[in-house]
Amino acid sequence: MPEPITEPPSGRRLAPGADHEAAAAQIAAASERVRAALDAAADRAQGDAADVLHATAAIAADPTLVADAVQRVMTDHLVPERAVWEAAESVAEQFAALGGLFAERTRDIADVRDRLVADLTGRAAPGVPDQDEPFVLVAPDLAPALVATLDTARVLAIATSQGGPTAHTAILARARGIPAVVAARGLETAVTAGDVVIVDGGAGTVVVHPDDEQVEAARALAAQARTFDGDGRTADGHRVELLANVGDPADAEAAAAAHAQGVGLFRTEFQFLDRDEPPTIDEQVTAYRRVFAAFAGRKVVIRTLDAGADKPMPFLTSDDEANPALGVRGLRTAALHADVLEDQLTAIARAADAESAVVWVMAPMVSTVDEAEDFVARCARHGLGTAGVMVEVPSAALVADRILAHAAFASIGTNDLTQYTMAADRLLGSVAHLSDAWHPAVLRLVAETCRGGAAQGRPVGVCGEAAAVPALAVVLVGLGVTSLSMTPRALADVAAVLGATTSDECARLAQRALAAPTAADARELVRAALPVLAELGL
Protein backbone atom coordinates (compact mmCIF):
# COMPACT_ATOMS: atom_id res chain seq x y z
CA MET A 1 0.00 0.00 0.00
CA PRO A 2 1.32 3.46 -0.79
CA GLU A 3 1.98 5.82 2.08
CA PRO A 4 -1.13 7.87 2.94
CA ILE A 5 -1.32 11.37 1.52
CA THR A 6 -0.62 14.06 4.09
CA GLU A 7 -1.76 17.67 3.98
CA PRO A 8 0.64 19.94 2.06
CA PRO A 9 2.10 22.70 4.25
CA SER A 10 -0.32 25.56 4.84
CA GLY A 11 0.37 28.70 2.83
CA ARG A 12 3.04 27.10 0.65
CA ARG A 13 3.48 29.37 -2.38
CA LEU A 14 5.16 29.35 -5.76
CA ALA A 15 8.67 30.73 -5.98
CA PRO A 16 9.04 34.36 -7.10
CA GLY A 17 9.00 34.58 -10.87
CA ALA A 18 7.31 31.19 -11.33
CA ASP A 19 4.97 30.67 -14.27
CA HIS A 20 1.58 30.84 -12.57
CA GLU A 21 -0.37 29.84 -15.65
CA ALA A 22 1.75 26.74 -16.17
CA ALA A 23 1.31 25.79 -12.52
CA ALA A 24 -2.45 26.27 -12.79
CA ALA A 25 -2.55 24.15 -15.96
CA GLN A 26 -1.07 21.25 -13.99
CA ILE A 27 -4.32 21.03 -12.01
CA ALA A 28 -6.53 20.53 -15.05
CA ALA A 29 -4.12 17.93 -16.41
CA ALA A 30 -4.04 16.10 -13.09
CA SER A 31 -7.85 16.21 -12.95
CA GLU A 32 -8.09 14.56 -16.36
CA ARG A 33 -5.53 11.84 -15.47
CA VAL A 34 -7.29 11.01 -12.19
CA ARG A 35 -10.71 10.95 -13.90
CA ALA A 36 -9.43 8.65 -16.63
CA ALA A 37 -7.81 6.28 -14.11
CA LEU A 38 -11.00 6.08 -12.05
CA ASP A 39 -13.20 5.50 -15.09
CA ALA A 40 -10.82 2.79 -16.31
CA ALA A 41 -10.98 1.12 -12.90
CA ALA A 42 -14.78 1.37 -12.97
CA ASP A 43 -14.87 -0.31 -16.39
CA ARG A 44 -12.98 -3.27 -14.89
CA ALA A 45 -15.24 -3.46 -11.83
CA GLN A 46 -18.80 -4.70 -11.52
CA GLY A 47 -22.01 -3.78 -9.71
CA ASP A 48 -21.89 -1.24 -6.89
CA ALA A 49 -18.10 -0.92 -7.07
CA ALA A 50 -18.29 0.26 -10.69
CA ASP A 51 -21.00 2.79 -9.84
CA VAL A 52 -18.98 4.19 -6.94
CA LEU A 53 -15.84 4.55 -9.07
CA HIS A 54 -17.68 6.28 -11.90
CA ALA A 55 -19.26 8.69 -9.39
CA THR A 56 -15.85 9.43 -7.88
CA ALA A 57 -14.43 10.03 -11.36
CA ALA A 58 -17.13 12.65 -11.92
CA ILE A 59 -15.99 14.50 -8.79
CA ALA A 60 -12.39 14.44 -10.05
CA ALA A 61 -13.55 16.18 -13.23
CA ASP A 62 -15.80 18.67 -11.41
CA PRO A 63 -15.16 22.06 -13.06
CA THR A 64 -16.05 23.88 -9.82
CA LEU A 65 -13.29 22.10 -7.90
CA VAL A 66 -10.75 22.64 -10.67
CA ALA A 67 -11.69 26.30 -11.17
CA ASP A 68 -11.45 27.01 -7.43
CA ALA A 69 -8.00 25.41 -7.25
CA VAL A 70 -6.81 27.30 -10.35
CA GLN A 71 -8.04 30.57 -8.86
CA ARG A 72 -6.02 29.94 -5.70
CA VAL A 73 -2.89 29.44 -7.79
CA MET A 74 -3.46 32.57 -9.84
CA THR A 75 -4.62 34.85 -7.01
CA ASP A 76 -2.89 33.51 -3.88
CA HIS A 77 0.11 32.03 -5.74
CA LEU A 78 -0.34 28.70 -3.90
CA VAL A 79 1.50 25.64 -5.20
CA PRO A 80 -0.93 23.40 -7.12
CA GLU A 81 -1.15 20.66 -4.48
CA ARG A 82 -1.95 23.16 -1.70
CA ALA A 83 -4.49 24.90 -3.94
CA VAL A 84 -6.24 21.59 -4.62
CA TRP A 85 -6.27 20.73 -0.93
CA GLU A 86 -7.92 24.02 0.06
CA ALA A 87 -10.38 23.94 -2.85
CA ALA A 88 -11.47 20.41 -1.96
CA GLU A 89 -11.94 21.40 1.67
CA SER A 90 -14.16 24.28 0.57
CA VAL A 91 -16.29 22.00 -1.63
CA ALA A 92 -16.56 19.42 1.16
CA GLU A 93 -17.80 22.09 3.58
CA GLN A 94 -20.49 23.12 1.10
CA PHE A 95 -21.61 19.49 0.64
CA ALA A 96 -21.68 18.90 4.40
CA ALA A 97 -23.87 21.98 4.89
CA LEU A 98 -26.37 20.69 2.34
CA GLY A 99 -26.78 17.47 4.35
CA GLY A 100 -28.37 14.23 3.17
CA LEU A 101 -26.80 12.52 0.17
CA PHE A 102 -24.54 15.52 -0.43
CA ALA A 103 -23.01 15.19 3.04
CA GLU A 104 -22.30 11.53 2.38
CA ARG A 105 -20.13 12.48 -0.60
CA THR A 106 -17.57 14.36 1.51
CA ARG A 107 -15.54 11.15 1.85
CA ASP A 108 -15.44 10.85 -1.95
CA ILE A 109 -14.25 14.45 -2.19
CA ALA A 110 -11.42 13.66 0.24
CA ASP A 111 -10.51 10.61 -1.87
CA VAL A 112 -10.35 12.70 -5.04
CA ARG A 113 -8.35 15.39 -3.23
CA ASP A 114 -5.75 12.82 -2.17
CA ARG A 115 -5.55 11.39 -5.69
CA LEU A 116 -5.03 14.82 -7.19
CA VAL A 117 -2.34 15.71 -4.65
CA ALA A 118 -0.60 12.39 -5.30
CA ASP A 119 -0.63 13.01 -9.06
CA LEU A 120 0.66 16.57 -8.69
CA THR A 121 3.52 15.48 -6.42
CA GLY A 122 4.51 12.39 -8.40
CA ARG A 123 3.40 9.89 -5.77
CA ALA A 124 1.44 6.66 -6.05
CA ALA A 125 -2.31 7.06 -5.83
CA PRO A 126 -3.76 6.25 -2.40
CA GLY A 127 -5.69 3.06 -1.84
CA VAL A 128 -5.19 -0.45 -3.13
CA PRO A 129 -2.58 -0.51 -5.92
CA ASP A 130 -3.89 -1.02 -9.44
CA GLN A 131 -1.76 -3.84 -10.86
CA ASP A 132 -2.16 -5.87 -14.05
CA GLU A 133 -1.54 -9.19 -12.27
CA PRO A 134 -2.80 -10.59 -8.94
CA PHE A 135 -0.68 -9.68 -5.93
CA VAL A 136 -0.09 -9.93 -2.19
CA LEU A 137 -1.02 -6.67 -0.46
CA VAL A 138 1.43 -5.50 2.22
CA ALA A 139 0.61 -2.61 4.57
CA PRO A 140 1.14 -1.38 8.14
CA ASP A 141 -2.54 -2.09 8.74
CA LEU A 142 -5.78 -2.21 6.76
CA ALA A 143 -9.17 -0.83 7.72
CA PRO A 144 -11.94 -3.45 7.94
CA ALA A 145 -14.00 -1.44 5.45
CA LEU A 146 -11.18 -1.69 2.90
CA VAL A 147 -10.78 -5.44 3.43
CA ALA A 148 -14.52 -5.86 2.92
CA THR A 149 -14.24 -4.35 -0.58
CA LEU A 150 -11.03 -5.99 -1.80
CA ASP A 151 -11.25 -7.71 -5.18
CA THR A 152 -10.41 -11.31 -4.26
CA ALA A 153 -9.48 -12.07 -7.86
CA ARG A 154 -6.69 -9.47 -7.64
CA VAL A 155 -5.62 -9.59 -3.98
CA LEU A 156 -4.31 -13.11 -3.35
CA ALA A 157 -3.37 -12.47 0.29
CA ILE A 158 -2.72 -9.67 2.76
CA ALA A 159 0.10 -9.20 5.24
CA THR A 160 0.35 -6.41 7.79
CA SER A 161 2.98 -5.38 10.30
CA GLN A 162 0.37 -4.17 12.80
CA GLY A 163 -3.02 -5.30 14.05
CA GLY A 164 -4.03 -8.42 15.94
CA PRO A 165 -5.28 -11.87 14.92
CA THR A 166 -8.77 -11.30 16.35
CA ALA A 167 -9.23 -7.74 15.09
CA HIS A 168 -12.03 -7.29 12.58
CA THR A 169 -9.54 -6.85 9.73
CA ALA A 170 -8.32 -10.42 10.25
CA ILE A 171 -11.85 -11.75 10.79
CA LEU A 172 -13.11 -10.18 7.57
CA ALA A 173 -10.14 -11.51 5.62
CA ARG A 174 -10.85 -15.02 6.87
CA ALA A 175 -14.55 -14.70 6.07
CA ARG A 176 -13.74 -13.61 2.52
CA GLY A 177 -11.24 -16.41 2.01
CA ILE A 178 -8.22 -14.11 1.77
CA PRO A 179 -5.12 -15.65 3.41
CA ALA A 180 -3.91 -13.10 5.94
CA VAL A 181 -1.00 -12.71 8.35
CA VAL A 182 -1.11 -9.79 10.79
CA ALA A 183 1.41 -8.32 13.24
CA ALA A 184 4.34 -9.48 11.11
CA ARG A 185 6.85 -7.03 12.56
CA GLY A 186 9.54 -5.77 10.21
CA LEU A 187 7.72 -7.02 7.13
CA GLU A 188 7.59 -3.69 5.32
CA THR A 189 11.35 -3.23 5.44
CA ALA A 190 11.95 -6.83 4.33
CA VAL A 191 10.04 -6.61 1.05
CA THR A 192 9.62 -4.27 -1.89
CA ALA A 193 7.07 -4.17 -4.68
CA GLY A 194 7.70 -7.04 -7.09
CA ASP A 195 9.20 -9.45 -4.54
CA VAL A 196 7.84 -12.98 -4.36
CA VAL A 197 6.40 -14.03 -0.99
CA ILE A 198 4.36 -16.96 0.34
CA VAL A 199 1.59 -16.03 2.78
CA ASP A 200 0.27 -18.94 4.85
CA GLY A 201 -2.77 -17.66 6.73
CA GLY A 202 -3.20 -20.94 8.61
CA ALA A 203 0.35 -21.09 9.93
CA GLY A 204 0.64 -17.31 10.32
CA THR A 205 3.86 -17.06 8.31
CA VAL A 206 5.25 -14.97 5.48
CA VAL A 207 8.16 -16.48 3.55
CA VAL A 208 10.21 -13.83 1.75
CA HIS A 209 12.12 -14.75 -1.43
CA PRO A 210 11.10 -18.44 -1.40
CA ASP A 211 12.93 -20.91 -3.65
CA ASP A 212 11.20 -22.82 -6.47
CA GLU A 213 10.62 -25.88 -4.28
CA GLN A 214 8.86 -23.83 -1.60
CA VAL A 215 6.69 -22.14 -4.22
CA GLU A 216 5.62 -25.44 -5.76
CA ALA A 217 4.84 -26.92 -2.33
CA ALA A 218 2.69 -23.89 -1.50
CA ARG A 219 0.84 -24.15 -4.79
CA ALA A 220 0.16 -27.84 -4.21
CA LEU A 221 -1.32 -27.11 -0.77
CA ALA A 222 -3.42 -24.25 -2.13
CA ALA A 223 -4.80 -26.51 -4.86
CA GLN A 224 -6.25 -29.00 -2.37
CA ALA A 225 -10.03 -28.82 -2.25
CA ARG A 226 -12.19 -30.25 0.52
CA THR A 227 -15.93 -30.16 0.98
CA PHE A 228 -18.22 -30.56 3.99
CA ASP A 229 -21.07 -33.05 3.77
CA GLY A 230 -23.20 -31.28 6.38
CA ASP A 231 -22.67 -33.82 9.16
CA GLY A 232 -20.15 -32.82 11.83
CA ARG A 233 -18.83 -35.72 13.89
CA THR A 234 -15.70 -37.22 15.40
CA ALA A 235 -14.14 -40.47 14.16
CA ASP A 236 -16.23 -42.49 16.63
CA GLY A 237 -19.49 -40.78 15.68
CA HIS A 238 -19.79 -38.14 18.43
CA ARG A 239 -21.90 -35.36 16.91
CA VAL A 240 -20.58 -31.80 16.80
CA GLU A 241 -22.71 -29.16 15.13
CA LEU A 242 -20.62 -27.28 12.58
CA LEU A 243 -22.31 -23.95 12.02
CA ALA A 244 -21.53 -20.73 10.17
CA ASN A 245 -20.86 -17.17 11.26
CA VAL A 246 -22.67 -14.71 8.97
CA GLY A 247 -22.64 -10.94 8.84
CA ASP A 248 -25.36 -10.22 6.29
CA PRO A 249 -27.92 -12.04 4.11
CA ALA A 250 -25.41 -12.71 1.32
CA ASP A 251 -23.16 -14.50 3.81
CA ALA A 252 -26.07 -16.72 4.82
CA GLU A 253 -26.66 -17.87 1.27
CA ALA A 254 -22.97 -18.73 0.90
CA ALA A 255 -23.04 -20.60 4.22
CA ALA A 256 -26.04 -22.65 3.14
CA ALA A 257 -24.26 -23.52 -0.11
CA ALA A 258 -21.27 -24.73 1.98
CA HIS A 259 -23.63 -27.14 3.83
CA ALA A 260 -23.33 -25.45 7.22
CA GLN A 261 -25.64 -27.22 9.65
CA GLY A 262 -27.05 -23.87 10.71
CA VAL A 263 -25.93 -20.39 11.76
CA GLY A 264 -24.15 -20.16 15.09
CA LEU A 265 -23.63 -16.40 14.95
CA PHE A 266 -25.73 -14.02 12.90
CA ARG A 267 -24.17 -10.59 13.46
CA THR A 268 -26.80 -7.88 13.08
CA GLU A 269 -24.50 -4.84 13.07
CA PHE A 270 -24.53 -4.61 9.26
CA GLN A 271 -27.87 -2.78 9.40
CA PHE A 272 -26.83 -0.32 12.10
CA LEU A 273 -23.34 0.80 11.06
CA ASP A 274 -22.74 4.09 9.23
CA ARG A 275 -26.16 5.44 10.21
CA ASP A 276 -27.25 8.34 12.36
CA GLU A 277 -30.32 6.47 13.61
CA PRO A 278 -31.32 2.82 13.94
CA PRO A 279 -33.01 0.97 11.08
CA THR A 280 -36.77 0.67 11.30
CA ILE A 281 -38.45 -2.52 12.49
CA ASP A 282 -39.63 -3.23 8.94
CA GLU A 283 -36.10 -2.81 7.54
CA GLN A 284 -34.79 -5.27 10.10
CA VAL A 285 -37.57 -7.80 9.45
CA THR A 286 -36.76 -7.83 5.73
CA ALA A 287 -33.06 -8.49 6.32
CA TYR A 288 -33.55 -11.11 9.03
CA ARG A 289 -36.06 -13.02 6.91
CA ARG A 290 -33.48 -13.47 4.15
CA VAL A 291 -31.11 -15.18 6.57
CA PHE A 292 -33.85 -17.29 8.16
CA ALA A 293 -35.12 -18.31 4.71
CA ALA A 294 -31.66 -19.55 3.69
CA PHE A 295 -31.76 -21.96 6.65
CA ALA A 296 -35.36 -23.13 6.57
CA GLY A 297 -35.91 -25.79 9.23
CA ARG A 298 -32.41 -25.31 10.64
CA LYS A 299 -31.03 -23.41 13.62
CA VAL A 300 -30.11 -19.75 13.32
CA VAL A 301 -28.57 -18.07 16.37
CA ILE A 302 -29.05 -14.33 16.00
CA ARG A 303 -27.04 -11.95 18.17
CA THR A 304 -28.62 -8.70 19.25
CA LEU A 305 -26.76 -5.52 18.42
CA ASP A 306 -23.12 -5.53 19.53
CA ALA A 307 -22.43 -1.79 19.49
CA GLY A 308 -19.51 -0.01 21.11
CA ALA A 309 -15.72 -0.37 21.26
CA ASP A 310 -14.52 -0.68 17.64
CA LYS A 311 -18.14 -0.48 16.38
CA PRO A 312 -19.26 2.96 17.58
CA MET A 313 -22.78 4.08 16.73
CA PRO A 314 -23.72 7.73 17.29
CA PHE A 315 -27.28 6.95 18.39
CA LEU A 316 -26.10 4.51 21.08
CA THR A 317 -22.53 5.03 22.22
CA SER A 318 -20.43 7.93 23.42
CA ASP A 319 -17.25 8.92 21.61
CA ASP A 320 -15.50 10.17 24.72
CA GLU A 321 -15.12 6.95 26.72
CA ALA A 322 -11.58 6.61 28.02
CA ASN A 323 -11.54 2.87 27.35
CA PRO A 324 -14.50 1.86 25.15
CA ALA A 325 -13.62 -1.85 25.17
CA LEU A 326 -14.40 -1.78 28.91
CA GLY A 327 -17.30 0.61 28.58
CA VAL A 328 -20.87 0.67 27.33
CA ARG A 329 -21.03 -1.98 24.64
CA GLY A 330 -23.21 -4.92 23.68
CA LEU A 331 -26.13 -5.54 26.01
CA ARG A 332 -24.99 -2.67 28.25
CA THR A 333 -26.33 -0.15 25.72
CA ALA A 334 -29.88 -1.28 26.62
CA ALA A 335 -29.58 0.42 30.01
CA LEU A 336 -29.93 3.82 28.35
CA HIS A 337 -31.46 2.84 25.02
CA ALA A 338 -33.89 0.03 25.80
CA ASP A 339 -36.04 1.03 22.81
CA VAL A 340 -33.35 -0.06 20.34
CA LEU A 341 -33.20 -3.54 21.87
CA GLU A 342 -36.98 -3.79 22.15
CA ASP A 343 -37.42 -2.85 18.48
CA GLN A 344 -34.81 -5.40 17.47
CA LEU A 345 -36.49 -8.18 19.46
CA THR A 346 -39.81 -7.21 17.86
CA ALA A 347 -38.23 -7.47 14.41
CA ILE A 348 -36.60 -10.81 15.19
CA ALA A 349 -39.88 -12.24 16.45
CA ARG A 350 -41.79 -11.08 13.37
CA ALA A 351 -39.14 -12.47 11.02
CA ALA A 352 -39.06 -15.76 12.90
CA ASP A 353 -42.85 -16.08 12.70
CA ALA A 354 -42.73 -15.51 8.94
CA GLU A 355 -40.08 -18.18 8.27
CA SER A 356 -39.45 -21.78 9.31
CA ALA A 357 -35.92 -21.47 10.69
CA VAL A 358 -35.38 -22.52 14.32
CA VAL A 359 -34.46 -19.11 15.75
CA TRP A 360 -32.35 -18.75 18.88
CA VAL A 361 -31.45 -15.29 20.25
CA MET A 362 -28.39 -14.30 22.26
CA ALA A 363 -27.08 -11.14 23.85
CA PRO A 364 -23.46 -9.97 23.62
CA MET A 365 -21.30 -8.77 26.52
CA VAL A 366 -23.24 -10.44 29.33
CA SER A 367 -21.30 -10.12 32.59
CA THR A 368 -23.73 -11.03 35.38
CA VAL A 369 -26.57 -13.37 36.29
CA ASP A 370 -28.94 -10.39 36.56
CA GLU A 371 -28.19 -9.32 32.99
CA ALA A 372 -28.85 -12.83 31.72
CA GLU A 373 -32.11 -13.15 33.63
CA ASP A 374 -33.35 -9.76 32.39
CA PHE A 375 -32.49 -10.56 28.76
CA VAL A 376 -34.25 -13.93 28.86
CA ALA A 377 -37.35 -12.24 30.29
CA ARG A 378 -37.28 -9.57 27.56
CA CYS A 379 -37.10 -12.28 24.89
CA ALA A 380 -39.95 -14.22 26.49
CA ARG A 381 -42.17 -11.13 26.33
CA HIS A 382 -41.62 -11.13 22.56
CA GLY A 383 -42.37 -14.83 22.23
CA LEU A 384 -38.70 -15.76 21.72
CA GLY A 385 -38.40 -18.84 23.88
CA THR A 386 -34.80 -19.87 23.23
CA ALA A 387 -32.68 -17.05 24.62
CA GLY A 388 -29.01 -17.38 25.46
CA VAL A 389 -25.90 -15.40 26.22
CA MET A 390 -22.47 -14.83 24.81
CA VAL A 391 -19.61 -15.65 27.15
CA GLU A 392 -16.95 -13.05 26.37
CA VAL A 393 -16.11 -11.82 29.84
CA PRO A 394 -14.31 -13.94 32.48
CA SER A 395 -17.03 -13.20 35.02
CA ALA A 396 -19.62 -14.88 32.78
CA ALA A 397 -17.42 -17.95 32.36
CA LEU A 398 -16.82 -18.26 36.08
CA VAL A 399 -20.53 -18.15 36.96
CA ALA A 400 -21.75 -19.96 33.85
CA ASP A 401 -23.63 -22.53 35.93
CA ARG A 402 -25.71 -19.78 37.53
CA ILE A 403 -26.20 -17.85 34.29
CA LEU A 404 -27.31 -21.03 32.51
CA ALA A 405 -29.91 -21.64 35.18
CA HIS A 406 -31.76 -18.87 33.29
CA ALA A 407 -30.32 -18.83 29.77
CA ALA A 408 -31.10 -21.68 27.35
CA PHE A 409 -27.57 -21.83 25.94
CA ALA A 410 -24.19 -20.14 25.90
CA SER A 411 -21.95 -19.24 22.99
CA ILE A 412 -18.33 -18.44 23.74
CA GLY A 413 -16.83 -15.51 21.83
CA THR A 414 -13.17 -16.47 22.06
CA ASN A 415 -11.95 -13.23 20.47
CA ASP A 416 -13.21 -11.03 23.29
CA LEU A 417 -12.78 -13.70 25.98
CA THR A 418 -9.10 -13.79 25.07
CA GLN A 419 -8.89 -9.99 25.04
CA TYR A 420 -10.36 -9.64 28.50
CA THR A 421 -8.56 -12.63 30.00
CA MET A 422 -5.15 -11.47 28.79
CA ALA A 423 -5.84 -7.72 29.22
CA ALA A 424 -4.63 -7.25 25.64
CA ASP A 425 -6.53 -5.00 23.25
CA ARG A 426 -7.38 -7.15 20.24
CA LEU A 427 -6.76 -4.18 17.91
CA LEU A 428 -3.29 -3.35 19.23
CA GLY A 429 -0.40 -4.90 17.32
CA SER A 430 2.11 -4.42 20.13
CA VAL A 431 0.23 -6.94 22.30
CA ALA A 432 -0.91 -9.21 19.47
CA HIS A 433 1.29 -12.01 20.82
CA LEU A 434 -1.01 -12.16 23.87
CA SER A 435 -4.19 -12.45 21.77
CA ASP A 436 -3.99 -16.22 21.56
CA ALA A 437 -6.95 -18.46 22.36
CA TRP A 438 -4.53 -21.35 22.89
CA HIS A 439 -3.47 -19.80 26.20
CA PRO A 440 -4.27 -22.22 29.05
CA ALA A 441 -5.97 -19.40 31.00
CA VAL A 442 -8.45 -18.91 28.15
CA LEU A 443 -8.95 -22.67 27.76
CA ARG A 444 -9.67 -23.00 31.48
CA LEU A 445 -12.45 -20.44 31.16
CA VAL A 446 -13.85 -22.38 28.21
CA ALA A 447 -13.73 -25.55 30.33
CA GLU A 448 -15.48 -23.77 33.21
CA THR A 449 -18.23 -22.56 30.89
CA CYS A 450 -18.72 -26.10 29.57
CA ARG A 451 -18.84 -27.40 33.13
CA GLY A 452 -21.59 -24.89 33.90
CA GLY A 453 -23.47 -25.95 30.78
CA ALA A 454 -23.24 -29.63 31.72
CA ALA A 455 -24.47 -28.89 35.25
CA GLN A 456 -27.61 -27.24 33.84
CA GLY A 457 -28.04 -29.51 30.83
CA ARG A 458 -27.45 -26.57 28.48
CA PRO A 459 -25.48 -26.60 25.19
CA VAL A 460 -22.31 -24.52 24.95
CA GLY A 461 -20.96 -23.46 21.57
CA VAL A 462 -18.00 -21.45 20.35
CA CYS A 463 -18.49 -18.76 17.72
CA GLY A 464 -15.14 -16.97 17.99
CA GLU A 465 -12.22 -17.35 15.58
CA ALA A 466 -10.88 -20.28 17.62
CA ALA A 467 -13.63 -22.48 16.20
CA ALA A 468 -12.15 -22.15 12.70
CA VAL A 469 -8.71 -23.47 13.71
CA PRO A 470 -8.85 -27.26 13.12
CA ALA A 471 -6.36 -28.26 15.84
CA LEU A 472 -7.98 -25.93 18.37
CA ALA A 473 -11.43 -27.22 17.39
CA VAL A 474 -10.32 -30.66 18.58
CA VAL A 475 -9.41 -29.18 21.97
CA LEU A 476 -12.69 -27.28 22.26
CA VAL A 477 -14.70 -30.43 21.59
CA GLY A 478 -12.58 -32.22 24.17
CA LEU A 479 -13.45 -29.53 26.71
CA GLY A 480 -17.16 -30.16 26.19
CA VAL A 481 -18.15 -27.68 23.47
CA THR A 482 -21.21 -28.97 21.60
CA SER A 483 -21.11 -26.74 18.50
CA LEU A 484 -18.54 -24.77 16.55
CA SER A 485 -19.46 -21.77 14.42
CA MET A 486 -17.03 -20.34 11.90
CA THR A 487 -16.57 -18.77 8.49
CA PRO A 488 -18.06 -21.21 5.96
CA ARG A 489 -14.67 -21.54 4.29
CA ALA A 490 -13.31 -23.30 7.38
CA LEU A 491 -16.07 -25.93 7.65
CA ALA A 492 -14.44 -28.55 5.45
CA ASP A 493 -11.04 -28.36 7.18
CA VAL A 494 -12.51 -28.51 10.69
CA ALA A 495 -14.81 -31.38 9.70
CA ALA A 496 -11.91 -33.33 8.19
CA VAL A 497 -9.75 -33.08 11.32
CA LEU A 498 -12.60 -33.89 13.71
CA GLY A 499 -13.59 -36.79 11.48
CA ALA A 500 -10.11 -38.26 11.89
CA THR A 501 -10.05 -37.86 15.69
CA THR A 502 -12.03 -39.83 18.28
CA SER A 503 -13.88 -38.11 21.11
CA ASP A 504 -11.52 -39.77 23.61
CA GLU A 505 -8.54 -38.30 21.76
CA CYS A 506 -10.22 -34.88 21.81
CA ALA A 507 -10.63 -35.13 25.59
CA ARG A 508 -7.05 -36.32 26.11
CA LEU A 509 -5.59 -33.53 23.98
CA ALA A 510 -7.79 -30.97 25.75
CA GLN A 511 -6.30 -31.99 29.08
CA ARG A 512 -2.78 -31.73 27.68
CA ALA A 513 -3.51 -28.24 26.41
CA LEU A 514 -4.96 -27.20 29.79
CA ALA A 515 -1.84 -28.46 31.55
CA ALA A 516 0.58 -26.66 29.22
CA PRO A 517 2.41 -23.63 30.66
CA THR A 518 2.06 -21.39 27.60
CA ALA A 519 -0.05 -20.91 24.50
CA ALA A 520 2.84 -21.95 22.28
CA ASP A 521 3.36 -25.15 24.29
CA ALA A 522 -0.34 -26.02 24.12
CA ARG A 523 -0.41 -25.50 20.38
CA GLU A 524 2.73 -27.54 19.74
CA LEU A 525 1.64 -30.42 22.00
CA VAL A 526 -1.69 -30.77 20.26
CA ARG A 527 -0.38 -30.35 16.73
CA ALA A 528 2.32 -32.94 17.31
CA ALA A 529 -0.35 -35.44 18.36
CA LEU A 530 -2.47 -34.85 15.25
CA PRO A 531 -0.61 -36.22 12.19
CA VAL A 532 -3.76 -35.64 10.14
CA LEU A 533 -2.88 -31.93 10.10
CA ALA A 534 0.27 -32.54 8.05
CA GLU A 535 -1.56 -34.98 5.80
CA LEU A 536 -4.14 -32.32 5.01
CA GLY A 537 -1.63 -29.48 4.73
CA LEU A 538 -3.04 -27.72 7.79
Side-chain angles (χ1 to χ4, degrees):
M1 286 281 282
E3 289 290 322
I5 301 299
T6 56
E7 180 178 355
S10 176
R12 187 177 177 190
R13 288 176 167 75
L14 295 166
D19 187 336
H20 296 166
E21 290 187 359
Q26 293 178 27
I27 296 173
S31 170
E32 174 55 26
R33 286 191 294 269
V34 170
R35 181 209 60 76
L38 286 167
D39 275 333
D43 291 340
R44 293 191 297 270
Q46 295 180 340
D48 292 341
D51 294 340
V52 169
L53 288 167
H54 277 309
T56 308
I59 293 175
D62 179 11
T64 302
L65 174 60
V66 173
D68 188 344
V70 166
Q71 181 67 26
R72 292 170 191 269
V73 171
M74 300 301 295
T75 303
D76 300 332
H77 303 166
L78 294 176
V79 295
E81 61 270 25
R82 181 65 201 182
V84 163
W85 191 277
E86 292 187 7
E89 293 296 282
S90 176
V91 172
E93 288 175 5
Q94 295 172 33
F95 273 48
L98 291 170
L101 293 175
F102 285 97
E104 293 177 12
R105 302 309 303 275
T106 55
R107 292 180 182 177
D108 299 328
I109 295 170
D111 181 32
V112 167
R113 175 200 68 198
D114 291 350
R115 291 175 183 275
L116 288 171
V117 170
D119 183 277
L120 289 165
T121 55
R123 299 172 60 184
V128 179
D130 187 9
Q131 300 289 318
D132 292 332
E133 61 182 1
F135 56 90
V136 170
L137 183 61
V138 176
D141 202 358
L142 295 170
L146 186 145
V147 175
T149 58
L150 288 177
D151 181 350
T152 55
R154 296 174 57 227
V155 180
L156 301 178
I158 61 178
T160 69
S161 57
Q162 300 172 21
T166 60
H168 285 97
T169 293
I171 293 171
L172 272 172
R174 185 194 290 273
R176 302 200 65 215
I178 304 174
V181 173
V182 299
R185 295 183 182 85
L187 176 63
E188 292 170 279
T189 58
V191 296
T192 59
D195 285 348
V196 175
V197 297
I198 296 173
V199 177
D200 186 335
T205 59
V206 180
V207 179
V208 181
H209 306 306
D211 57 33
D212 292 343
E213 186 176 340
Q214 289 173 304
V215 170
E216 289 307 311
R219 285 181 173 152
L221 284 177
Q224 291 186 10
R226 279 182 286 277
T227 57
F228 175 46
D229 64 6
D231 185 15
R233 60 202 178 279
T234 60
D236 55 336
H238 174 70
R239 299 287 177 176
V240 181
E241 279 188 304
L242 298 186
L243 312 169
N245 293 343
V246 304
D248 59 41
D251 286 350
E253 288 148 16
H259 303 115
Q261 292 176 259
V263 174
L265 170 61
F266 174 18
R267 303 180 180 96
T268 56
E269 291 76 51
F270 73 99
Q271 280 214 301
F272 292 80
L273 292 168
D274 297 323
R275 297 178 63 132
D276 294 326
E277 58 185 25
T280 66
I281 292 175
D282 287 343
E283 285 177 312
Q284 294 182 59
V285 170
T286 299
Y288 301 158
R289 285 189 64 180
R290 281 186 61 191
V291 175
F292 296 165
F295 283 88
R298 286 178 282 175
K299 180 170 76 176
V300 176
V301 183
I302 183 169
R303 181 179 70 187
T304 56
L305 181 60
D306 188 17
D310 58 340
K311 289 173 284 189
M313 298 179 191
F315 52 86
L316 274 181
T317 56
S318 169
D319 59 3
D320 60 358
E321 286 186 333
N323 193 338
L326 298 177
V328 180
R329 57 170 300 196
L331 183 60
R332 297 173 182 179
T333 61
L336 294 176
H337 303 280
D339 57 318
V340 175
L341 176 58
E342 289 297 319
D343 283 354
Q344 186 171 30
L345 293 176
T346 297
I348 293 169
R350 288 184 188 174
D353 286 343
E355 303 293 341
S356 62
V358 180
V359 177
W360 294 14
V361 189
M362 64 180 178
M365 202 67 178
V366 171
S367 305
T368 69
V369 175
D370 290 344
E371 289 173 344
E373 187 174 10
D374 177 71
F375 179 73
V376 171
R378 285 177 186 266
C379 290
R381 288 195 291 271
H382 288 271
L384 297 166
T386 309
V389 300
M390 287 200 70
V391 174
E392 302 162 285
V393 183
S395 64
L398 294 171
V399 295
D401 54 346
R402 282 161 260 180
I403 284 177
L404 287 169
H406 304 280
F409 67 95
S411 185
I412 302 172
T414 50
N415 306 337
D416 272 327
L417 184 61
T418 302
Q419 169 177 241
Y420 294 125
T421 302
M422 304 305 296
D425 189 332
R426 58 192 281 194
L427 305 180
L428 190 59
S430 58
V431 293
H433 63 288
L434 295 172
S435 296
D436 195 335
W438 279 98
H439 197 284
V442 178
L443 296 180
R444 288 187 186 188
L445 290 171
V446 173
E448 188 65 15
T449 305
C450 291
R451 188 194 66 77
Q456 299 290 350
R458 308 293 200 192
V460 173
V462 168
C463 62
E465 290 299 286
V469 180
L472 190 46
V474 166
V475 171
L476 296 173
V477 170
L479 292 174
V481 167
T482 57
S483 66
L484 298 167
S485 190
M486 64 203 75
T487 171
R489 296 176 182 275
L491 288 166
D493 288 343
V494 171
V497 173
L498 285 177
T501 312
T502 67
S503 54
D504 284 345
E505 288 175 309
C506 290
R508 178 175 57 82
L509 291 174
Q511 292 307 308
R512 294 187 68 180
L514 283 175
T518 69
D521 290 328
R523 182 186 295 104
E524 290 170 13
L525 284 167
V526 172
R527 289 188 63 87
L530 290 172
V532 65
L533 295 172
E535 295 168 14
L536 297 175
L538 299 172

